[in-house]
Amino acid sequence: MAAAGAEAAAAAAEEEAEEGGKRRLPLPDPESGGDSEDEGDSDSSGDGEDEEKENEAEIQRLEEQLSINAFDYNCHLDLIKLLRQEGELVKLRRARQKMSELFPLTEEIWLDWLKDEIKMASEISEREKVYELFERAVKDYICPEIWLEYAQYSIGGIGQEGGIEKVRSIFERALTAVGLHVTKGTALWEAYREFENAILETAQPAPGSVPSPEQQQMLCSQLERIHTLFRRQLGIPLLDMEASYAEYEEWSEEPIPETIIKNYKKALQQLEKCKPYEEALLGAETPKLAEYQAYIDFEMKAGDPARIQLIYERALAENCLVPDLWARYNQYLDRQLRVKELVLSAHDRAVRNCPWTVGLWIRYLLAMERHGVDHCIISEIFEKALNAGFIQATDYVEIWQAYLDYLRRRVDFTQDSSKELEELRSAFARAVEYLKQEVEERFSESGDPSCTIMQNWARVEARLCNNMQKARELWDNIMTKGNAKYANMWLEYYNLERAHGDTQHCRKALHRAVQCTSDYPEHVCEVLLTLERIEGTLEDWDAAVQKTENRLARVNEQRAKVAEKEAALAKQEEEKAEQRKQARAEKKASKKAKKNRIGDKRKADDDDEGEWGREEEAEQPSKRHKGDGDGLLLEEDMELETGLFGRSGTEKPDRPANQKQKASTSRKDIPKVLHDSSKDNVTVFVSNLSYNMTEPEVKLKELFESCGEVEQIRPVFSNKGTFRGYCYVEFKDEKSALQALGLDRKVVEGRPMFVSPCVDKNKNPDFKVFRYSTTLEKHKLFISGLPFSCTKEELEDVCKAHGNVKDIRLVTNRAGKPKGLAYVEYENEAQASQAVLKMDGLTIKEHVIKVAISNPPLRKLPDKPEAGRASQFAVPRQIYGARGKGRTQLSMMPRALQRQSNPVAKAENGMVQNSPATSSEPAEEPKKMSNADFAKMLLNK
């Protein structure tokens, strides 16, 4: 009866597998060369042949590329896709095999591979190979779908000897691995119960027959299995627990025990605590790192190792290329679980997913040593690390140091000589040579300028092997590599000699240090004198004093020469700056004199010499109000009157006098709108707008109304009434202002518009609005040398061949014109490093581009303005708008007149503070000056 039941279950399983096979994409026929539709049409057949040739050429190219760089992940994917499309089964298996040896495969890749092999597996031997493939697949990631596929496939073999027990074993392993999965674990429990129910159905006696004692015992045993599965499942927090409980109530002929109900209610409470985290994962966008980390923290507080491990595995399945996540998971396993198979498997998967991260390799070596793995296996893993393709020279130094530390711990230094000691010395020598040859050839540096590996080698020889001769040879080699000028290197060698050598060699080392050190010679001289004071003879002391005095005299002489040279250079720079300043002043004076001559000619034509003379007197010390005005207005006053609070129209020479009077009056009538600093939180500063923008209030209001209700728009105009390219936009609420910041860099009339918070930089000098990172970003590339005509789409077509491009930013100037630079952001460091290797030196539109990992240099802080005389011209930068100062760097008003003028309000970030009203009493009329007198006064002659 059991055999008959097994056959029936096997038939049902085969039927289910056949149904599942219909849902799978069939593998293309290797001999068809194309689809059936192509074969019916000769033209289509010709196109298919051309496409087949192109695919063959592409396959050959991809294989060649992988022979050069076997760690090209995307190249592996492209090759497998093409081979599957062409039906090259042998090559397809080989390609998948090679990729699986280098990288853990994703769930999708494994399922495609397994389904292809399942369709071709008919013999028992072939089924065994599929079983082996499943075993490899479940080790890469915790994937419920793969475990479910594995269990269902194993059902097809229950007709063989021990088949039922094998299926149960696989189901039990699956439940151990993913049975706690809140959202996907239920499917495995149900599949397991359905299998056991199928066995129960086949074990039932025929209708009307009496079961034998053996059959009755088998029925009871099978019923108990199903009861146990229900009870186990109901004690675990899983989605749709209520449906499982109802199903158990309906299935069971006996009432459910109180203990099971209690466990069920406890699991329901736990499920309610987990639901917010599961819902957050469901609604979040990839990569969901923050949501997974919150879930992990929650499980950490609960302290269930199995659940903590599962949530880590779920996070890694979706973020397998995040090194920090692997590092945290491995640290948890190393410190908490400490299960050898589990720990080593996680470390192995970590370095296969992120081979470019040296920290993961180092932790792997330590874990293997901690769990007593054979030396040959550890050495093999180390060799793989050397071929992983690190992106920095220092990474190779770190991995070598970790391996050398491991070899040093293997040596028994109580013996004079041993195999382990010779291996350690050989590894030290190989490390030094490797950094000199391999690393320097790739990075143009060894990554170890201080020769730390050789220093450690020397310490091992001196302290552990009592071989000072070898240690001295190593230090001599270190000093010849450009380290002899550093005091700390000599003192390190001196301390080693002091601890394990003799006084003679200490004295010799310090004498050489005094002669060679250039950074801190005083310190080395002091150490030498201290040595001779304690242990030296009178002759030694005299020699040391003479040597140190001579050396310090030469050092001071060299420093004096350097100081003189720097002073001369500084003086030259000051003279050049003064010349440039004088040239600018002369240019301004000549322009003003020319403007005055033009004005004289116009006034002469109007036969209004008397009035012109009076206005010319006012024109000399300050900018003149261009109407028939009755008073002087300084340049800063005019900026506040017509620039920050309103716009005045420009006047034309041929305007009638009444129009001039009207324009002048309209400017005076514009009310002042003082800035309220308490509204900074609802105001944004908009700059880099086109100077030619007409009606900026209307244009900008249409643009910013999408962010919220706009209270006021205050564009800034020059004293001539022209728009200065920046303004202030005040919203009704803070939320709208924050939303408006999202319009930063939006192109308006051909220029990128800059939108930043309204912050008084005089009160907050450290405030920055630059939104891009200025530090090392290993997943982002910096590309230079691009043609100006290169578009974002064209660059993306080039970059996406080497990985998934998340963002591309073409660098432009303020006018929106390209500068031939770009930043390209990839999903992870591996893709970025591959792109650097492939794209650096690439030619785009006859331009050779340079590609490197994004690591902007530190910006130099601006020098503080000099006090005193220079402060007379110091004006806050914000008064000139987002474009900074114009060409006029000096005040065009003589200082003598500036001191006589009343103080005016200073503008901060374009916002005017309250200022005392100017005196209504008429100022004393200055002495009448010619243009030449004014120029002399301006140039301080």
Side-chain angles (χ1 to χ4, degrees), residues 75-128:
C75 194
H76 281 285
L77 292 180
D78 294 340
L79 179 61
I80 290 173
K81 181 179 178 181
L82 272 178
L83 291 173
R84 194 165 190 258
Q85 179 181 337
E86 291 296 313
E88 297 284 350
L89 302 184
V90 177
K91 290 185 178 180
L92 179 60
R93 281 175 176 161
R94 189 185 306 123
R96 284 168 166 166
Q97 179 66 29
K98 287 182 179 180
M99 184 177 183
S100 67
E101 292 173 356
L102 297 173
F103 304 100
L105 304 186
T106 63
E107 178 183 332
E108 293 77 9
I109 297 175
W110 272 120
L111 288 175
D112 286 341
W113 189 358
L114 291 166
K115 290 174 182 179
D116 289 345
E117 296 293 343
I118 287 173
K119 285 186 291 186
M120 294 182 291
S122 57
E123 303 295 333
I124 297 178
S125 59
E126 293 175 343
R127 289 185 63 88
E128 289 299 323

Side-chain angles (χ1 to χ4, degrees), residues 504-522:
Q504 180 181 358
H505 283 91
C506 288
R507 181 177 291 110
K508 183 178 179 181
L510 290 177
H511 276 275
R512 290 180 60 194
V514 169
Q515 189 69 27
C516 301
T517 301
S518 60
D519 55 351
Y520 299 105
E522 293 89 351

Side-chain angles (χ1 to χ4, degrees), residues 4 313 318 431 516 536 551 622 868:
E313 291 287 355
E318 295 190 43
C516 301
R551 175 57 177 164
S622 65

